[in-house]
């Protein structure tokens, strides 16, 4: 039964005739409800969150919000934690980094529906990891990707098309030599990988905000984009001329990023600088842009040097424990140290890239 016929049958009156679109719910949730024939408050009233989830397929967290908004009271609606755990495990795909150590500490890679912050010093591999994610997201799910496209917002001019081509070529070759899956024939080529990355060069905060809003608009028309990268988020806010407007611009930008991850089934990766914060007794490495900004990323990955080796540490993640992994930056991209050899079975050299002074 379509939405119009269902609403005619219900023929609600009074408060129950209030449309669901008038409630403080995300547009994406309202749209899904409408698609399933739920137009008025009366259509939802009396349903439990689990029942609404079963009927509509909307995730349980959003169903809780719908039921509470319909009730218009402060009663806390609860569900058993078990289905929430199952749902998060089944409905939270990840973008592989192609580095087993990093994938392990990230719970499978960069999670859809999350903002991941990569904070580290210049030359540690932040940009390299972003480029690799832009490549890997385009592979089929069976090969560690999501079959989607990516957007790369470059604020510092560090994006390298030549470097991206190297990473793409090695990714295609790696998949061909490490799996016998029939999906290889359906996998991307170097040319298609390059075409699947949309590049924006932004010079100030206003341009970054405009680019992010452009991505939001694109996602409303086409759900192909699965990853947004901002490299780096700190640069325009630390060196822009709009000093009196920076607080507002930062707030608007973070709101738009939250909309992307919450309503558009995307992953967001942002790079940031490291700074030192101490209280006289201890010193911590933290990202730039202040303490308030630190609450926005879902996951924070600190990249640092330790005894001449690159170390990645998860320092913030509600669903992960604090963990550490070692990695290397090679011509092929980000790789596990233990998997590195002089050459692989195809004869491709595995040359190490040392820390440059002008790249991250």
């Amino acid at each position: 039964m379509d939405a119009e016929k269902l609403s005619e049958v219900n023929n609600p009156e009074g408060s129950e005739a209030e449309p669901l679109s008038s409630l403080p719910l995300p547009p994406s949730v309202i749209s899904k409800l409408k698609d399933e024939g739920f137009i008025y408050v009366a259509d939802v009233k009396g349903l439990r969150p689990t029942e609404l989830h079963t009927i509509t397929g909307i995730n349980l967290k959003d169903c809780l919000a719908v039921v509470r908004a319909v009730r218009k009271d402060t009663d806390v609606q609860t569900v058993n934690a078990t289905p929430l755990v199952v749902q998060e495990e089944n409905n939270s795909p990840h973008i592989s980094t192609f580095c087993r150590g990093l994938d392990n500490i990230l719970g499978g890679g960069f999670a859809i529906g999350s903002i991941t912050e990569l904070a580290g010093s210049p030359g540690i591999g932040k940009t390299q990891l972003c480029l690799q994610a832009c490549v890997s997201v385009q592979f089929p799910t069976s090969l560690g990707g999501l079959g989607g496209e990516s957007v790369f917002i470059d604020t510092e001019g560090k994006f390298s098309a030549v470097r991206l081509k190297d990473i793409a070529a090695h990714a295609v070759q790696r998949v061909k030599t490490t799996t016998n899956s029939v999906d290889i024939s359906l996998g991307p080529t170097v040319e298609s990988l390059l075409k699947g990355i949309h590049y924006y060069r932004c010079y100030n905060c206003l341009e970054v905000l405009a680019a992010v809003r452009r991505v939001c608009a694109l996602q409303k028309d086409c759900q192909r984009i699965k990853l947004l990268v901002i490299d780096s988020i700190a640069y325009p806010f630390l060196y822009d001329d709009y000093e009196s407007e920076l607080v507002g611009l930062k707030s608007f930008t973070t709101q738009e990023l939250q909309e992307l991850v919450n309503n558009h089934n995307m992953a967001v990766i942002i790079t940031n600088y490291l700074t030192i914060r101490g209280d006289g007794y201890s010193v911590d490495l933290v990202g730039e842009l202040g303490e308030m900004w630190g609450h926005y990323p879902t996951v924070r990955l600190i990249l640092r040097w330790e005894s001449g080796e690159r170390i990645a540490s998860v320092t913030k993640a509600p669903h992960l424990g604090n963990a550490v992994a070692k990695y290397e930056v090679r011509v092929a991209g980000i790789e596990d140290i233990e998997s590195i050899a002089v050459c692989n079975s195809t004869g491709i050299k595995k040359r190490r890239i040392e820390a440059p002074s002008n790249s991250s």
Side-chain angles (χ1 to χ4, degrees):
M1 181 179 295
D2 60 31
E4 290 74 10
K5 290 182 180 179
L6 179 60
S7 62
E8 289 175 3
V9 171
N10 286 337
N11 194 25
E13 297 179 354
S15 62
E16 294 189 356
E18 182 180 3
L20 290 171
S21 58
S22 66
L23 300 179
L25 296 169
S28 59
V29 174
I30 296 294
S31 178
K32 290 179 182 177
L33 288 170
K34 184 177 180 181
D35 290 343
E36 296 299 327
F38 293 90
I39 309 298
Y40 297 101
V41 167
D43 300 335
V44 177
K45 196 167 185 180
L47 290 177
R48 297 173 60 83
T50 50
E51 294 172 335
L52 187 61
H53 164 66
T54 301
I55 297 170
T56 65
I58 298 173
N59 68 65
L60 278 172
K61 292 180 181 178
D62 285 337
C63 288
L64 283 168
V66 172
V67 171
R68 186 172 182 181
V70 167
R71 289 174 61 93
K72 293 185 177 180
D73 59 28
T74 57
D75 290 345
V76 178
Q77 298 292 310
T78 61
V79 295
N80 187 283
T82 301
L84 287 173
V85 172
V86 173
Q87 179 178 290
E88 288 194 4
E89 290 178 343
N90 294 337
N91 296 341
S92 298
H94 293 76
I95 302 169
S96 174
T97 66
F98 283 164
C99 174
R100 186 172 61 255
L102 293 183
D103 281 349
N104 287 340
I105 65 174
L106 289 171
F110 298 113
I112 292 296
S114 295
I115 299 176
T116 301
E117 179 185 61
L118 307 179
S121 58
I124 198 65
K126 301 188 299 295
T127 300
Q128 308 286 329
L129 188 51
C130 290
L131 293 175
Q132 189 147 317
C134 287
V135 168
S136 63
V137 71
Q138 299 183 63
F139 282 86
T141 54
S142 59
L143 299 178
L146 296 176
E149 299 178 356
S150 62
V151 173
F152 195 109
I153 297 177
D154 179 14
T155 68
E156 298 186 52
K158 292 183 178 179
F159 180 92
S160 170
V162 173
R163 184 74 187 99
L164 175 62
K165 186 177 181 179
D166 283 342
I167 293 175
H170 281 79
V172 171
Q173 185 63 34
R174 181 192 296 115
V175 169
K176 288 182 178 179
T177 57
T178 59
T179 180
N180 295 319
S181 172
V182 295
D183 288 336
I184 291 179
S185 61
L186 304 176
T189 63
V190 174
E191 292 72 20
S192 68
L193 289 172
L194 297 179
K195 290 179 180 179
I197 300 173
H198 308 273
Y199 174 75
Y200 292 85
R201 176 67 171 101
C202 297
Y203 294 89
N204 56 53
C205 300
L206 288 173
E207 292 184 356
V208 171
L209 178 57
V212 172
R213 286 182 170 173
R214 175 61 177 161
V215 175
C216 288
L218 286 173
Q219 280 300 83
K220 291 178 181 178
D221 298 328
C222 175
Q223 298 294 316
R224 285 284 299 166
I225 299 173
K226 295 297 182 182
L227 171 66
L228 168 65
V229 170
I230 303 180
D231 184 29
S232 73
I233 192 67
Y235 187 83
F237 288 103
L238 293 177
Y239 302 105
D240 210 329
D241 295 329
Y242 300 95
E243 293 185 8
S244 62
E245 303 174 11
L246 287 183
V247 174
L249 289 171
K250 191 186 302 182
S251 177
F252 283 128
T253 302
T254 52
Q255 289 175 24
E256 299 290 343
L257 293 177
Q258 290 289 352
E259 180 183 342
L260 283 173
V261 298
N262 292 336
N263 301 328
H264 296 291
N265 200 33
M266 287 179 58
V268 172
I269 303 174
I270 55 178
T271 68
N272 199 356
Y273 303 145
L274 274 181
T275 187
I276 297 176
R277 182 179 64 192
D279 57 7
Y281 298 96
S282 61
V283 175
D284 294 321
L285 290 175
V286 297
E288 282 280 10
L289 300 183
E291 186 175 351
M292 182 59 68
W293 166 261
H295 294 287
Y296 289 112
T298 315
V299 177
R300 177 173 295 109
L301 194 65
I302 299 292
L303 307 178
R304 69 185 193 280
W305 289 98
E306 187 176 295
S307 301
E309 294 182 317
R310 289 179 170 92
I311 305 292
S313 305
V314 175
T315 62
K316 177 189 176 184
H319 58 297
L320 302 171
N322 292 346
V324 176
K326 296 180 180 180
Y327 66 96
E328 281 281 12
V329 179
R330 301 275 165 165
V331 174
I334 305 296
E335 294 187 332
D336 293 285
I337 290 179
E338 61 268 23
S339 68
I340 295 169
V342 175
C343 62
N344 64 10
S345 60
T346 62
I348 297 179
K349 288 267 187 184
K350 295 280 187 174
R351 179 169 56 85
R352 176 177 179 174
I353 297 179
E354 300 294 345
S357 58
N358 61 348
S359 174
S360 60

